[in-house]
Amino acid sequence: MNQAEDIKNAVRVLREGGVILYPTDTVWGIGCDATNAEAVAKVYKIKQREDSKALICLVDSDARLQRYVRNVPNVAWELIEAAVTPMTVILDGAVNLAPNLIAEDGSVALRITNEPFSKELCYRFQKALVSTSANISGQPAASNYSDISPELLEAVDYVCFSRRQEHKPHTPSTIIKLAKDGEIKIIRK
């Protein structure tokens, strides 16, 4: 299967409210439509994670990121532009997302991906995509397809074919929270 067919199949499943496993700009991810509360609930159930712990969303562009946050501060754009490795920013004022994806303080974690597969997937889907590490909560993240547990492979509705043969180190993104008062807090390096 080529990448275009793989993305087409993944987008179809996402639009039907399904959950996918897919390669990202960091580790393999569990994904769903970030605007679909039922799909988001499925992801929490698959990960065996409390829904009080927010999930990261992936988007393909600056314009798409702006659809999900009321007001993106200039410092966020500066940080995103300066980042040399994948960086997730937690921003206040989340909008247009599933309520169970937004943190209690009204914030959301977003990352713009530049990795070819996940960027094209987000572009074709035309919405934010949940991107939480492909693992049961508390277990190590799956750097490569071969690291994903059989339990997860069976729990999702579609597993992408692209980059399955890859065997190289991948690490989760840096996470930075931008507080309302302008304070920048590093959550994960």
Side-chain angles (χ1 to χ4, degrees):
M1 175 180 305
N2 67 32
Q3 182 171 303
E5 290 173 43
D6 199 13
I7 288 173
K8 185 177 178 182
N9 291 336
V11 167
R12 179 183 43 76
V13 170
L14 291 166
R15 288 194 176 131
E16 292 168 354
V19 176
I20 66 169
L21 281 171
Y22 67 107
T24 75
D25 53 340
T26 60
V27 297
W28 269 70
I30 300 173
C32 72
D33 178 349
T35 67
N36 180 330
E38 287 178 20
V40 171
K42 287 183 204 174
V43 171
Y44 281 116
K45 186 176 179 186
I46 289 168
K47 279 192 70 83
Q48 299 171 23
R49 183 175 178 169
E50 295 175 37
D51 63 7
S52 61
K53 290 189 170 188
L55 302 171
I56 293 172
C57 295
L58 214 55
V59 294
D60 65 319
S61 65
D62 295 0
R64 189 107 44 223
L65 183 138
Q66 289 177 294
R67 289 185 188 178
Y68 301 108
V69 178
R70 267 196 197 87
N71 181 22
V72 181
N74 287 336
V75 68
W77 295 122
E78 290 168 15
L79 287 167
I80 291 167
E81 200 170 293
V84 292
T85 59
M87 185 183 62
T88 301
V89 289
I90 300 174
L91 300 166
D92 289 324
V95 292
N96 304 319
L97 292 165
N100 53 344
L101 193 59
I102 299 170
E104 287 181 17
D105 66 359
S107 66
V108 64
L110 289 159
R111 184 169 74 249
I112 300 170
T113 179
N114 288 310
E115 181 273 327
F117 182 85
S118 55
K119 188 174 187 79
E120 184 70 11
L121 176 62
C122 289
Y123 173 75
R124 295 284 172 204
F125 186 52
Q126 295 287 298
K127 292 183 189 178
L129 189 61
V130 165
S131 183
T132 183
S133 56
N135 62 317
I136 302 298
S137 193
Q139 294 180 2
S143 285
N144 296 289
Y145 172 77
S146 60
D147 301 323
I148 301 171
S149 73
E151 181 181 3
L152 278 184
L153 293 170
E154 292 171 19
V156 299
D157 302 300
Y158 183 75
V159 181
C160 291
F161 286 87
S162 299
R163 291 180 44 204
R164 282 192 186 185
Q165 306 309 317
E166 193 172 88
H167 292 283
K168 55 184 184 182
H170 295 279
T171 55
S173 68
T174 299
I175 301 177
I176 295 177
K177 181 169 177 57
L178 301 179
K180 288 179 179 134
D181 63 4
E183 179 189 357
I184 299 171
K185 185 176 181 184
I186 298 171
I187 305 295
R188 179 173 71 198
K189 279 189 178 185

